[in-house]
């Protein structure tokens, strides 16, 4: 995944200053984790969601054989993927009955808001990097997602991975109006949508990671 490799060249510091780069990446990761916690704290139903998406995404990325650096950036994007919800009124986010079309339109702006929030961070702004992953995490493989209706490999690989991890965690969440699915059911539903909603290569790696880790894939 060459596009994410660009991130390392955009990090500040001397080219061979590996320790400083490592410390910077770990600090960015910790900060992403705390921002993810802040978003999840807005709603008791989404507790652990960003952490779960970060863990599942990095497990998939690792199974796909991506570099350690790319796995790490995808993990960070998992923590931050819903950061744009900070710009959506709580009255809409926490609404327990059906959302109107206008309210849905509002919610569907969160990927763009999130990308705008993180893009000032130089290490997140490379093509295909964290900001682009956040921007495209609700695109679907068959082009029926949002915000741009991208399809196939036009969707950044990191976003195709987050999309699967997000679906697993979201499907298992209990909501006031519906019971969350059991882990096995949520996994089956994702595999069923391979090639339509989700990239088949990503789903195949997801299946292998689930076989190996079981439900522990959610906690790392
Ligand atoms: Fe993390
Ligand atoms: Fe989202």
């Amino acid at each position: 995944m060459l596009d994410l490799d660009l991130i390392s060249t955009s990090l500040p510091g001397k080219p061979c200053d590996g320790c400083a780069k490592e410390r910077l990446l770990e600090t960015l990761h910790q900060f992403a984790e705390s921002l993810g916690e802040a978003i999840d704290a807005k709603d008791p139903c989404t507790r652990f969601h960003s952490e779960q998406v970060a863990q599942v995404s990095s497990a998939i990325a690792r199974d796909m054989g991506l570099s350690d650096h790319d796995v790490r950036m995808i993990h960070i994007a998992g923590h931050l993927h819903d950061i744009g919800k900070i710009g959506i009124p709580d009255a809409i986010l926490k609404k327990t009955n059906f959302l109107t079309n206008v309210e849905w339109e509002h919610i569907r702006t969160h990927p763009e808001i999130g990308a705008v929030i993180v893009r000032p961070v130089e290490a997140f702004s490379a093509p295909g990097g964290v900001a682009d992953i956040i921007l495209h995490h609700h695109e679907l493989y068959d082009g029926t997602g949002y915000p741009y209706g991208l399809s196939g490999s036009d969707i950044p690989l990191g976003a195709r991975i987050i999309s699967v991890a997000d679906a697993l965690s979201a499907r298992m969440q209990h909501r006031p109006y519906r019971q969350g699915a059991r882990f096995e059911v949520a996994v089956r539903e994702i595999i069923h949508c391979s090639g339509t909603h989700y990239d088949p290569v990503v789903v195949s790696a997801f299946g292998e990671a689930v076989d190996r880790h079981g439900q522990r894939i959610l906690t790392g």
Side-chain angles (χ1 to χ4, degrees):
M1 191 171 143
L2 293 172
D3 46 4
L4 281 184
D5 283 340
L6 290 171
I7 292 164
S8 57
T9 59
S10 70
L11 287 172
K14 286 173 265 174
C16 56
D17 193 359
C19 288
K21 220 173 254 184
E22 174 61 30
R23 278 200 305 277
L24 174 64
L25 276 175
E26 188 44 33
T27 301
L28 286 171
H29 169 224
Q30 290 166 351
F31 198 54
E33 201 167 310
S34 67
L35 286 174
E37 294 280 345
I39 285 298
D40 292 354
K42 279 167 80 77
D43 181 349
C45 296
T46 59
R47 224 172 140 226
F48 310 123
H49 176 64
S50 299
E51 174 68 25
Q52 289 177 347
V53 173
Q55 295 295 354
V56 175
S57 301
S58 45
I60 297 171
R62 222 174 282 119
D63 252 78
M64 292 180 75
L66 301 188
S67 69
D68 288 348
H69 180 78
D70 289 352
V71 170
R72 191 170 206 177
M73 297 313 285
I74 288 169
H75 181 92
I76 288 174
H79 281 304
L80 293 172
H81 74 287
D82 272 343
I83 187 75
K85 286 188 174 170
I86 224 159
I88 310 295
D90 280 2
I92 297 177
L93 272 187
K94 294 185 178 177
K95 198 170 169 190
T96 53
N97 46 358
F98 285 106
L99 294 169
T100 65
N101 285 344
V102 172
E103 288 165 340
W104 266 120
E105 283 310 309
H106 223 101
I107 290 213
R108 285 155 69 104
T109 60
H110 79 271
E112 286 157 299
I113 297 171
V116 168
I117 290 172
V118 307
R119 212 174 281 287
V121 180
E122 192 180 356
F124 294 167
S125 62
V130 174
D132 281 351
I133 292 173
I134 292 171
L135 179 61
H136 296 295
H137 78 274
H138 281 289
E139 307 282 5
L140 294 172
Y141 196 67
D142 58 8
T144 59
Y146 62 93
Y148 298 112
L150 298 185
S151 61
S153 58
D154 286 344
I155 306 167
L157 178 56
R160 279 177 268 150
I161 291 173
I162 297 262
S163 168
V164 167
D166 192 17
L168 177 68
S169 174
R171 192 64 190 86
M172 292 178 68
Q173 280 166 11
H174 296 299
R175 295 270 168 192
Y177 50 87
R178 66 126 227 250
Q179 189 72 3
R182 284 187 298 112
F183 176 72
E184 297 76 14
V185 173
V187 168
R188 261 205 310 277
E189 286 178 2
I190 289 167
I191 291 170
H192 180 73
C193 294
S194 174
T196 51
H197 285 179
Y198 310 117
D199 180 344
V201 176
V202 173
V203 174
S204 164
F206 168 69
E208 283 165 25
V210 165
D211 286 346
R212 199 163 32 261
H213 304 291
Q215 197 156 346
R216 281 183 326 233
I217 194 174
L218 290 157
T219 48

